[in-house]
Amino acid sequence: LSNKENPRTLLKIKYLSLFPDQIRQGLSYSLIQKAIRSGIVETQFIQIRDFSTDKHRTVDDTPYGGGEGMVMRADVLFRAWSSVKTADSYTVFLSPQGKLFTQKDAKELTQRKDLIFVCGHYEGVDERFIEECVDQEYSIGDYVLTGGELPALVISDAVIRLLPGTVQNPDSLTQETFEDGLLKYPQYTRPREFQGRKVPEVLLSGDHQKIAEFRLNERKKRTQARRPDLWQRRST
Ligand code: SAM
């Protein structure tokens, strides 16, 4: 992150982590890398360990009250967080106990200017840091991962691809799965026949209205069959 403001920058994302290289590496492909290179997104990686004050660079300790594992210290995290927090910052803690992250949340996060992702590790994070500094806790699913790095990458990817200029054809975003509560229609490309399976005839007809009807119908069928929860929410 440079001191000079880049006029193209729509979003700054700061990552607080014990393994920042995992995130840096994860962001270095495809459209996400392009968005970062073009300056649409600015990233900054903060090694939490740099804010430890003892000679062993300790960041965690045993839990008060006993129990399994180690807990990340609130004071160390607070110093790391304070080093990058601004008046615009919106702080997200990745946690299996957070709100389940959805496409709607991704859209909302595109409206922020400055995101701070805090990645936990080990048994978790001292609750007082969360109370003091965190605006939102997000989970990426009902399973437990080793750390918040992968969840931070998942959320970053979902947000960055929605920023204007990242995906070249914005129309490709509007008919996507979840965009209007329906899953995407099945897609086909060459060859016309594969293992005896033919591309649906209507897609070769050139009749745009028929194609649109076919696709909408497929989207409805799929959503009903695969995601009755989405379908129900849509028709109520
Ligand atoms: N003991 C914690 C609990 O039961 O909630 C789990 C700690 S987990 C091993 C370590 C860190 O990984 C968490 O602090 C969080 O930052 C991250 N993490 C794990 N699973 C996640 C998920 N499904 N979504 C978001 N973050 C997750």
Side-chain angles (χ1 to χ4, degrees):
L1 209 71
S2 62
N3 290 331
K4 267 209 217 118
E5 292 287 316
N6 181 339
R8 293 197 64 185
T9 302
L10 299 173
L11 181 63
K12 291 181 186 174
I13 312 182
K14 299 152 181 176
Y15 301 90
L16 267 60
S17 166
L18 291 171
F19 303 95
D21 284 347
Q22 185 181 2
I23 306 171
R24 201 196 307 266
Q25 173 74 19
L27 295 172
S28 62
Y29 298 94
S30 180
L31 298 176
I32 304 302
Q33 183 188 48
K34 262 175 88 178
I36 293 168
R37 287 212 170 136
S38 75
I40 293 174
V41 186
E42 268 185 40
T43 53
Q44 187 178 2
F45 303 92
I46 297 96
Q47 170 55 267
I48 296 166
R49 207 171 283 286
D50 291 346
F51 294 85
S52 165
T53 48
D54 68 319
K55 68 172 189 238
H56 302 296
R57 308 227 300 153
T58 313
V59 292
D60 56 356
D61 210 331
T62 52
Y64 277 121
E68 292 299 304
M70 301 293 272
V71 176
M72 289 173 73
R73 290 173 55 128
D75 56 345
V76 178
L77 278 167
F78 183 74
R79 281 194 293 275
W81 176 80
S82 303
S83 75
V84 289
K85 191 225 171 337
T86 68
D88 286 335
S89 295
Y90 186 72
T91 302
V92 171
F93 176 54
L94 292 315
S95 162
Q97 297 165 46
K99 175 182 187 296
L100 201 58
F101 182 76
T102 65
Q103 187 69 13
K104 188 163 170 273
D105 297 300
K107 260 195 188 161
E108 280 172 19
L109 290 185
T110 63
Q111 301 306 308
R112 304 279 170 190
K113 290 192 164 50
D114 184 306
L115 291 175
I116 302 178
F117 286 120
V118 183
C119 306
H121 230 89
Y122 312 120
E123 218 35 62
V125 160
D126 189 307
E127 192 66 24
R128 293 165 297 175
F129 171 78
I130 301 171
E131 287 168 8
E132 183 73 22
C133 308
V134 170
D135 296 305
Q136 179 69 271
E137 288 184 62
Y138 279 126
S139 164
I140 62 159
D142 288 343
Y143 36 80
V144 179
L145 299 161
T146 318
E149 286 73 14
L150 290 172
L153 277 170
V154 166
I155 293 179
S156 301
D157 188 300
V159 173
I160 293 171
R161 68 190 291 282
L162 293 177
L163 294 174
T166 302
V167 172
Q168 283 314 315
N169 178 6
D171 287 347
S172 74
L173 295 175
T174 59
Q175 291 209 12
E176 273 188 325
T177 294
F178 304 127
E179 211 37 53
D180 54 5
L182 289 178
L183 302 181
K184 181 134 183 158
Y185 49 80
Q187 301 181 92
Y188 304 89
T189 185
R190 272 181 268 276
R192 271 169 87 142
E193 194 172 324
F194 166 71
Q195 301 282 347
R197 294 165 194 273
K198 295 196 170 96
V199 171
E201 205 59 47
V202 59
L203 298 178
L204 311 170
S205 68
D207 184 333
H208 295 299
Q209 196 182 331
K210 277 227 173 82
I211 292 173
E213 279 168 19
F214 167 80
R215 285 180 167 166
L216 181 60
N217 201 32
E218 288 295 312
R219 299 183 74 201
K220 288 180 180 170
K221 271 186 358 206
R222 269 199 170 189
T223 311
Q224 264 177 304
R226 296 182 185 191
R227 292 294 301 271
D229 57 320
L230 284 183
W231 181 253
Q232 205 133 39
R233 240 179 289 158
R234 187 174 180 269
S235 42
T236 52

PDB file of all heavy atoms in Angstrom, residues 134-167:
ATOM      1  N   VAL A 134     -14.186  -5.495  16.067  1.00  0.00           N
ATOM      2  CA  VAL A 134     -14.770  -6.153  14.888  1.00  0.00           C
ATOM      3  C   VAL A 134     -16.178  -5.631  14.588  1.00  0.00           C
ATOM      4  O   VAL A 134     -17.019  -5.517  15.476  1.00  0.00           O
ATOM      5  CB  VAL A 134     -14.777  -7.687  15.100  1.00  0.00           C
ATOM      6  CG1 VAL A 134     -15.585  -8.392  14.028  1.00  0.00           C
ATOM      7  CG2 VAL A 134     -13.343  -8.209  15.132  1.00  0.00           C
ATOM      8  N   ASP A 135     -16.432  -5.309  13.305  1.00  0.00           N
ATOM      9  CA  ASP A 135     -17.762  -4.853  12.887  1.00  0.00           C
ATOM     10  C   ASP A 135     -18.653  -6.016  12.473  1.00  0.00           C
ATOM     11  O   ASP A 135     -19.862  -5.959  12.622  1.00  0.00           O
ATOM     12  CB  ASP A 135     -17.633  -3.897  11.692  1.00  0.00           C
ATOM     13  CG  ASP A 135     -16.880  -2.633  12.074  1.00  0.00           C
ATOM     14  OD1 ASP A 135     -17.306  -1.988  13.043  1.00  0.00           O
ATOM     15  OD2 ASP A 135     -15.870  -2.309  11.415  1.00  0.00           O
ATOM     16  N   GLN A 136     -18.049  -7.038  11.883  1.00  0.00           N
ATOM     17  CA  GLN A 136     -18.843  -8.166  11.379  1.00  0.00           C
ATOM     18  C   GLN A 136     -18.032  -9.451  11.452  1.00  0.00           C
ATOM     19  O   GLN A 136     -16.845  -9.444  11.119  1.00  0.00           O
ATOM     20  CB  GLN A 136     -19.246  -7.890   9.928  1.00  0.00           C
ATOM     21  CG  GLN A 136     -20.051  -8.971   9.265  1.00  0.00           C
ATOM     22  CD  GLN A 136     -21.461  -9.121   9.840  1.00  0.00           C
ATOM     23  OE1 GLN A 136     -21.683  -9.865  10.783  1.00  0.00           O
ATOM     24  NE2 GLN A 136     -22.402  -8.415   9.315  1.00  0.00           N
ATOM     25  N   GLU A 137     -18.673 -10.536  11.877  1.00  0.00           N
ATOM     26  CA  GLU A 137     -18.029 -11.858  11.816  1.00  0.00           C
ATOM     27  C   GLU A 137     -18.685 -12.646  10.704  1.00  0.00           C
ATOM     28  O   GLU A 137     -19.916 -12.735  10.646  1.00  0.00           O
ATOM     29  CB  GLU A 137     -18.241 -12.615  13.131  1.00  0.00           C
ATOM     30  CG  GLU A 137     -17.445 -12.081  14.285  1.00  0.00           C
ATOM     31  CD  GLU A 137     -17.632 -12.941  15.539  1.00  0.00           C
ATOM     32  OE1 GLU A 137     -17.279 -14.128  15.521  1.00  0.00           O
ATOM     33  OE2 GLU A 137     -18.157 -12.399  16.529  1.00  0.00           O
ATOM     34  N   TYR A 138     -17.857 -13.196   9.804  1.00  0.00           N
ATOM     35  CA  TYR A 138     -18.382 -14.022   8.725  1.00  0.00           C
ATOM     36  C   TYR A 138     -17.818 -15.427   8.790  1.00  0.00           C
ATOM     37  O   TYR A 138     -16.613 -15.617   8.999  1.00  0.00           O
ATOM     38  CB  TYR A 138     -18.005 -13.449   7.355  1.00  0.00           C
ATOM     39  CG  TYR A 138     -18.884 -12.324   6.880  1.00  0.00           C
ATOM     40  CD1 TYR A 138     -18.332 -11.104   6.497  1.00  0.00           C
ATOM     41  CD2 TYR A 138     -20.267 -12.496   6.783  1.00  0.00           C
ATOM     42  CE1 TYR A 138     -19.131 -10.069   6.040  1.00  0.00           C
ATOM     43  CE2 TYR A 138     -21.072 -11.461   6.330  1.00  0.00           C
ATOM     44  CZ  TYR A 138     -20.498 -10.256   5.961  1.00  0.00           C
ATOM     45  OH  TYR A 138     -21.290  -9.239   5.506  1.00  0.00           O
ATOM     46  N   SER A 139     -18.702 -16.390   8.516  1.00  0.00           N
ATOM     47  CA  SER A 139     -18.291 -17.777   8.308  1.00  0.00           C
ATOM     48  C   SER A 139     -18.475 -18.087   6.830  1.00  0.00           C
ATOM     49  O   SER A 139     -19.407 -17.584   6.206  1.00  0.00           O
ATOM     50  CB  SER A 139     -19.183 -18.695   9.141  1.00  0.00           C
ATOM     51  OG  SER A 139     -19.058 -20.029   8.686  1.00  0.00           O
ATOM     52  N   ILE A 140     -17.599 -18.925   6.269  1.00  0.00           N
ATOM     53  CA  ILE A 140     -17.833 -19.312   4.870  1.00  0.00           C
ATOM     54  C   ILE A 140     -18.533 -20.667   4.778  1.00  0.00           C
ATOM     55  O   ILE A 140     -18.782 -21.152   3.678  1.00  0.00           O
ATOM     56  CB  ILE A 140     -16.538 -19.305   4.023  1.00  0.00           C
ATOM     57  CG1 ILE A 140     -15.513 -20.312   4.543  1.00  0.00           C
ATOM     58  CG2 ILE A 140     -15.958 -17.905   3.937  1.00  0.00           C
ATOM     59  CD1 ILE A 140     -14.486 -20.683   3.481  1.00  0.00           C
ATOM     60  N   GLY A 141     -18.878 -21.270   5.888  1.00  0.00           N
ATOM     61  CA  GLY A 141     -19.610 -22.528   5.810  1.00  0.00           C
ATOM     62  C   GLY A 141     -19.521 -23.283   7.120  1.00  0.00           C
ATOM     63  O   GLY A 141     -18.675 -22.983   7.966  1.00  0.00           O
ATOM     64  N   ASP A 142     -20.388 -24.262   7.272  1.00  0.00           N
ATOM     65  CA  ASP A 142     -20.462 -25.000   8.528  1.00  0.00           C
ATOM     66  C   ASP A 142     -19.425 -26.118   8.597  1.00  0.00           C
ATOM     67  O   ASP A 142     -19.761 -27.304   8.563  1.00  0.00           O
ATOM     68  CB  ASP A 142     -21.875 -25.562   8.726  1.00  0.00           C
ATOM     69  CG  ASP A 142     -22.864 -24.456   9.047  1.00  0.00           C
ATOM     70  OD1 ASP A 142     -22.416 -23.353   9.423  1.00  0.00           O
ATOM     71  OD2 ASP A 142     -24.075 -24.686   8.931  1.00  0.00           O
ATOM     72  N   TYR A 143     -18.176 -25.700   8.650  1.00  0.00           N
ATOM     73  CA  TYR A 143     -17.063 -26.620   8.844  1.00  0.00           C
ATOM     74  C   TYR A 143     -15.951 -25.797   9.468  1.00  0.00           C
ATOM     75  O   TYR A 143     -15.969 -24.566   9.384  1.00  0.00           O
ATOM     76  CB  TYR A 143     -16.587 -27.242   7.519  1.00  0.00           C
ATOM     77  CG  TYR A 143     -16.652 -26.291   6.364  1.00  0.00           C
ATOM     78  CD1 TYR A 143     -15.648 -25.341   6.174  1.00  0.00           C
ATOM     79  CD2 TYR A 143     -17.730 -26.295   5.491  1.00  0.00           C
ATOM     80  CE1 TYR A 143     -15.718 -24.443   5.134  1.00  0.00           C
ATOM     81  CE2 TYR A 143     -17.801 -25.396   4.438  1.00  0.00           C
ATOM     82  CZ  TYR A 143     -16.792 -24.474   4.265  1.00  0.00           C
ATOM     83  OH  TYR A 143     -16.876 -23.577   3.233  1.00  0.00           O
ATOM     84  N   VAL A 144     -14.989 -26.476  10.090  1.00  0.00           N
ATOM     85  CA  VAL A 144     -13.932 -25.739  10.777  1.00  0.00           C
ATOM     86  C   VAL A 144     -12.618 -25.883  10.026  1.00  0.00           C
ATOM     87  O   VAL A 144     -12.178 -26.991   9.728  1.00  0.00           O
ATOM     88  CB  VAL A 144     -13.768 -26.220  12.239  1.00  0.00           C
ATOM     89  CG1 VAL A 144     -12.649 -25.454  12.933  1.00  0.00           C
ATOM     90  CG2 VAL A 144     -15.070 -26.034  12.997  1.00  0.00           C
ATOM     91  N   LEU A 145     -12.021 -24.743   9.702  1.00  0.00           N
ATOM     92  CA  LEU A 145     -10.737 -24.710   8.997  1.00  0.00           C
ATOM     93  C   LEU A 145      -9.623 -24.393   9.993  1.00  0.00           C
ATOM     94  O   LEU A 145      -9.886 -23.982  11.122  1.00  0.00           O
ATOM     95  CB  LEU A 145     -10.778 -23.651   7.900  1.00  0.00           C
ATOM     96  CG  LEU A 145     -11.856 -23.897   6.828  1.00  0.00           C
ATOM     97  CD1 LEU A 145     -12.157 -22.628   6.072  1.00  0.00           C
ATOM     98  CD2 LEU A 145     -11.413 -25.005   5.890  1.00  0.00           C
ATOM     99  N   THR A 146      -8.398 -24.546   9.538  1.00  0.00           N
ATOM    100  CA  THR A 146      -7.240 -24.305  10.400  1.00  0.00           C
ATOM    101  C   THR A 146      -7.098 -22.827  10.758  1.00  0.00           C
ATOM    102  O   THR A 146      -6.657 -22.476  11.844  1.00  0.00           O
ATOM    103  CB  THR A 146      -5.958 -24.733   9.651  1.00  0.00           C
ATOM    104  OG1 THR A 146      -6.224 -25.946   8.979  1.00  0.00           O
ATOM    105  CG2 THR A 146      -4.801 -24.886  10.583  1.00  0.00           C
ATOM    106  N   GLY A 147      -7.413 -21.969   9.796  1.00  0.00           N
ATOM    107  CA  GLY A 147      -7.227 -20.542  10.022  1.00  0.00           C
ATOM    108  C   GLY A 147      -8.158 -19.720   9.147  1.00  0.00           C
ATOM    109  O   GLY A 147      -8.856 -20.257   8.280  1.00  0.00           O
ATOM    110  N   GLY A 148      -8.139 -18.417   9.366  1.00  0.00           N
ATOM    111  CA  GLY A 148      -9.018 -17.520   8.620  1.00  0.00           C
ATOM    112  C   GLY A 148      -8.481 -17.124   7.245  1.00  0.00           C
ATOM    113  O   GLY A 148      -9.137 -16.365   6.526  1.00  0.00           O
ATOM    114  N   GLU A 149      -7.293 -17.637   6.877  1.00  0.00           N
ATOM    115  CA  GLU A 149      -6.682 -17.199   5.612  1.00  0.00           C
ATOM    116  C   GLU A 149      -7.518 -17.618   4.402  1.00  0.00           C
ATOM    117  O   GLU A 149      -7.785 -16.802   3.513  1.00  0.00           O
ATOM    118  CB  GLU A 149      -5.250 -17.748   5.486  1.00  0.00           C
ATOM    119  CG  GLU A 149      -4.230 -17.045   6.380  1.00  0.00           C
ATOM    120  CD  GLU A 149      -4.343 -17.382   7.858  1.00  0.00           C
ATOM    121  OE1 GLU A 149      -5.029 -18.370   8.202  1.00  0.00           O
ATOM    122  OE2 GLU A 149      -3.753 -16.659   8.687  1.00  0.00           O
ATOM    123  N   LEU A 150      -7.914 -18.880   4.354  1.00  0.00           N
ATOM    124  CA  LEU A 150      -8.726 -19.328   3.209  1.00  0.00           C
ATOM    125  C   LEU A 150     -10.081 -18.616   3.181  1.00  0.00           C
ATOM    126  O   LEU A 150     -10.494 -18.128   2.118  1.00  0.00           O
ATOM    127  CB  LEU A 150      -8.890 -20.856   3.214  1.00  0.00           C
ATOM    128  CG  LEU A 150      -7.615 -21.640   2.882  1.00  0.00           C
ATOM    129  CD1 LEU A 150      -7.814 -23.130   3.103  1.00  0.00           C
ATOM    130  CD2 LEU A 150      -7.175 -21.383   1.444  1.00  0.00           C
ATOM    131  N   PRO A 151     -10.787 -18.502   4.305  1.00  0.00           N
ATOM    132  CA  PRO A 151     -12.028 -17.727   4.284  1.00  0.00           C
ATOM    133  C   PRO A 151     -11.816 -16.274   3.811  1.00  0.00           C
ATOM    134  O   PRO A 151     -12.627 -15.740   3.056  1.00  0.00           O
ATOM    135  CB  PRO A 151     -12.513 -17.770   5.734  1.00  0.00           C
ATOM    136  CG  PRO A 151     -11.943 -19.043   6.266  1.00  0.00           C
ATOM    137  CD  PRO A 151     -10.624 -19.225   5.583  1.00  0.00           C
ATOM    138  N   ALA A 152     -10.721 -15.639   4.225  1.00  0.00           N
ATOM    139  CA  ALA A 152     -10.454 -14.261   3.779  1.00  0.00           C
ATOM    140  C   ALA A 152     -10.264 -14.233   2.263  1.00  0.00           C
ATOM    141  O   ALA A 152     -10.725 -13.309   1.584  1.00  0.00           O
ATOM    142  CB  ALA A 152      -9.219 -13.701   4.488  1.00  0.00           C
ATOM    143  N   LEU A 153      -9.605 -15.256   1.731  1.00  0.00           N
ATOM    144  CA  LEU A 153      -9.412 -15.337   0.277  1.00  0.00           C
ATOM    145  C   LEU A 153     -10.741 -15.538  -0.438  1.00  0.00           C
ATOM    146  O   LEU A 153     -11.006 -14.911  -1.467  1.00  0.00           O
ATOM    147  CB  LEU A 153      -8.477 -16.502  -0.064  1.00  0.00           C
ATOM    148  CG  LEU A 153      -6.985 -16.227   0.036  1.00  0.00           C
ATOM    149  CD1 LEU A 153      -6.201 -17.528  -0.089  1.00  0.00           C
ATOM    150  CD2 LEU A 153      -6.552 -15.248  -1.066  1.00  0.00           C
ATOM    151  N   VAL A 154     -11.555 -16.414   0.109  1.00  0.00           N
ATOM    152  CA  VAL A 154     -12.852 -16.697  -0.523  1.00  0.00           C
ATOM    153  C   VAL A 154     -13.686 -15.417  -0.594  1.00  0.00           C
ATOM    154  O   VAL A 154     -14.227 -15.053  -1.643  1.00  0.00           O
ATOM    155  CB  VAL A 154     -13.601 -17.802   0.276  1.00  0.00           C
ATOM    156  CG1 VAL A 154     -15.062 -17.897  -0.128  1.00  0.00           C
ATOM    157  CG2 VAL A 154     -12.909 -19.153   0.087  1.00  0.00           C
ATOM    158  N   ILE A 155     -13.756 -14.716   0.523  1.00  0.00           N
ATOM    159  CA  ILE A 155     -14.576 -13.502   0.563  1.00  0.00           C
ATOM    160  C   ILE A 155     -13.972 -12.424  -0.336  1.00  0.00           C
ATOM    161  O   ILE A 155     -14.679 -11.750  -1.091  1.00  0.00           O
ATOM    162  CB  ILE A 155     -14.753 -13.023   2.026  1.00  0.00           C
ATOM    163  CG1 ILE A 155     -15.588 -14.061   2.787  1.00  0.00           C
ATOM    164  CG2 ILE A 155     -15.373 -11.632   2.083  1.00  0.00           C
ATOM    165  CD1 ILE A 155     -15.822 -13.755   4.238  1.00  0.00           C
ATOM    166  N   SER A 156     -12.650 -12.285  -0.306  1.00  0.00           N
ATOM    167  CA  SER A 156     -11.999 -11.282  -1.160  1.00  0.00           C
ATOM    168  C   SER A 156     -12.307 -11.545  -2.621  1.00  0.00           C
ATOM    169  O   SER A 156     -12.612 -10.620  -3.388  1.00  0.00           O
ATOM    170  CB  SER A 156     -10.480 -11.313  -0.985  1.00  0.00           C
ATOM    171  OG  SER A 156     -10.146 -11.058   0.338  1.00  0.00           O
ATOM    172  N   ASP A 157     -12.211 -12.797  -3.029  1.00  0.00           N
ATOM    173  CA  ASP A 157     -12.466 -13.143  -4.427  1.00  0.00           C
ATOM    174  C   ASP A 157     -13.893 -12.776  -4.811  1.00  0.00           C
ATOM    175  O   ASP A 157     -14.133 -12.139  -5.846  1.00  0.00           O
ATOM    176  CB  ASP A 157     -12.206 -14.649  -4.618  1.00  0.00           C
ATOM    177  CG  ASP A 157     -12.249 -15.069  -6.075  1.00  0.00           C
ATOM    178  OD1 ASP A 157     -13.310 -14.889  -6.716  1.00  0.00           O
ATOM    179  OD2 ASP A 157     -11.246 -15.590  -6.577  1.00  0.00           O
ATOM    180  N   ALA A 158     -14.847 -13.149  -3.960  1.00  0.00           N
ATOM    181  CA  ALA A 158     -16.254 -12.869  -4.263  1.00  0.00           C
ATOM    182  C   ALA A 158     -16.513 -11.366  -4.365  1.00  0.00           C
ATOM    183  O   ALA A 158     -17.316 -10.922  -5.189  1.00  0.00           O
ATOM    184  CB  ALA A 158     -17.147 -13.485  -3.187  1.00  0.00           C
ATOM    185  N   VAL A 159     -15.809 -10.577  -3.548  1.00  0.00           N
ATOM    186  CA  VAL A 159     -16.020  -9.119  -3.547  1.00  0.00           C
ATOM    187  C   VAL A 159     -15.303  -8.468  -4.730  1.00  0.00           C
ATOM    188  O   VAL A 159     -15.893  -7.669  -5.469  1.00  0.00           O
ATOM    189  CB  VAL A 159     -15.525  -8.497  -2.209  1.00  0.00           C
ATOM    190  CG1 VAL A 159     -15.567  -6.977  -2.262  1.00  0.00           C
ATOM    191  CG2 VAL A 159     -16.352  -9.013  -1.042  1.00  0.00           C
ATOM    192  N   ILE A 160     -14.044  -8.832  -4.934  1.00  0.00           N
ATOM    193  CA  ILE A 160     -13.230  -8.157  -5.948  1.00  0.00           C
ATOM    194  C   ILE A 160     -13.830  -8.358  -7.337  1.00  0.00           C
ATOM    195  O   ILE A 160     -13.857  -7.427  -8.151  1.00  0.00           O
ATOM    196  CB  ILE A 160     -11.760  -8.644  -5.897  1.00  0.00           C
ATOM    197  CG1 ILE A 160     -11.103  -8.192  -4.583  1.00  0.00           C
ATOM    198  CG2 ILE A 160     -10.956  -8.126  -7.094  1.00  0.00           C
ATOM    199  CD1 ILE A 160      -9.720  -8.787  -4.314  1.00  0.00           C
ATOM    200  N   ARG A 161     -14.339  -9.555  -7.635  1.00  0.00           N
ATOM    201  CA  ARG A 161     -14.866  -9.777  -8.986  1.00  0.00           C
ATOM    202  C   ARG A 161     -16.132  -8.966  -9.276  1.00  0.00           C
ATOM    203  O   ARG A 161     -16.531  -8.836 -10.423  1.00  0.00           O
ATOM    204  CB  ARG A 161     -15.072 -11.269  -9.274  1.00  0.00           C
ATOM    205  CG  ARG A 161     -16.148 -11.933  -8.481  1.00  0.00           C
ATOM    206  CD  ARG A 161     -16.096 -13.428  -8.677  1.00  0.00           C
ATOM    207  NE  ARG A 161     -16.488 -13.839 -10.018  1.00  0.00           N
ATOM    208  CZ  ARG A 161     -17.746 -13.906 -10.450  1.00  0.00           C
ATOM    209  NH1 ARG A 161     -18.727 -13.565  -9.654  1.00  0.00           N
ATOM    210  NH2 ARG A 161     -18.016 -14.302 -11.680  1.00  0.00           N
ATOM    211  N   LEU A 162     -16.740  -8.417  -8.213  1.00  0.00           N
ATOM    212  CA  LEU A 162     -17.922  -7.575  -8.418  1.00  0.00           C
ATOM    213  C   LEU A 162     -17.565  -6.108  -8.639  1.00  0.00           C
ATOM    214  O   LEU A 162     -18.421  -5.300  -9.000  1.00  0.00           O
ATOM    215  CB  LEU A 162     -18.864  -7.675  -7.207  1.00  0.00           C
ATOM    216  CG  LEU A 162     -19.543  -9.027  -6.983  1.00  0.00           C
ATOM    217  CD1 LEU A 162     -20.385  -8.982  -5.713  1.00  0.00           C
ATOM    218  CD2 LEU A 162     -20.411  -9.398  -8.182  1.00  0.00           C
ATOM    219  N   LEU A 163     -16.315  -5.746  -8.401  1.00  0.00           N
ATOM    220  CA  LEU A 163     -15.933  -4.337  -8.551  1.00  0.00           C
ATOM    221  C   LEU A 163     -15.909  -3.967 -10.035  1.00  0.00           C
ATOM    222  O   LEU A 163     -15.410  -4.745 -10.855  1.00  0.00           O
ATOM    223  CB  LEU A 163     -14.548  -4.082  -7.952  1.00  0.00           C
ATOM    224  CG  LEU A 163     -14.427  -4.244  -6.443  1.00  0.00           C
ATOM    225  CD1 LEU A 163     -12.971  -4.114  -6.010  1.00  0.00           C
ATOM    226  CD2 LEU A 163     -15.295  -3.227  -5.711  1.00  0.00           C
ATOM    227  N   PRO A 164     -16.458  -2.803 -10.373  1.00  0.00           N
ATOM    228  CA  PRO A 164     -16.462  -2.396 -11.774  1.00  0.00           C
ATOM    229  C   PRO A 164     -15.046  -2.408 -12.351  1.00  0.00           C
ATOM    230  O   PRO A 164     -14.117  -1.919 -11.710  1.00  0.00           O
ATOM    231  CB  PRO A 164     -17.011  -0.972 -11.737  1.00  0.00           C
ATOM    232  CG  PRO A 164     -17.562  -0.759 -10.378  1.00  0.00           C
ATOM    233  CD  PRO A 164     -17.041  -1.823  -9.476  1.00  0.00           C
ATOM    234  N   GLY A 165     -14.899  -3.015 -13.520  1.00  0.00           N
ATOM    235  CA  GLY A 165     -13.584  -3.060 -14.155  1.00  0.00           C
ATOM    236  C   GLY A 165     -12.862  -4.374 -13.959  1.00  0.00           C
ATOM    237  O   GLY A 165     -11.893  -4.646 -14.649  1.00  0.00           O
ATOM    238  N   THR A 166     -13.321  -5.206 -13.029  1.00  0.00           N
ATOM    239  CA  THR A 166     -12.625  -6.478 -12.792  1.00  0.00           C
ATOM    240  C   THR A 166     -13.060  -7.528 -13.805  1.00  0.00           C
ATOM    241  O   THR A 166     -12.252  -8.108 -14.517  1.00  0.00           O
ATOM    242  CB  THR A 166     -12.884  -6.996 -11.366  1.00  0.00           C
ATOM    243  OG1 THR A 166     -12.452  -6.006 -10.449  1.00  0.00           O
ATOM    244  CG2 THR A 166     -12.135  -8.272 -11.105  1.00  0.00           C
ATOM    245  N   VAL A 167     -14.376  -7.766 -13.876  1.00  0.00           N
ATOM    246  CA  VAL A 167     -14.914  -8.663 -14.905  1.00  0.00           C
ATOM    247  C   VAL A 167     -15.267  -7.788 -16.098  1.00  0.00           C
ATOM    248  O   VAL A 167     -16.036  -6.841 -15.960  1.00  0.00           O
ATOM    249  CB  VAL A 167     -16.155  -9.418 -14.359  1.00  0.00           C
ATOM    250  CG1 VAL A 167     -16.841 -10.204 -15.455  1.00  0.00           C
ATOM    251  CG2 VAL A 167     -15.745 -10.343 -13.225  1.00  0.00           C
TER     252      VAL A 167
END
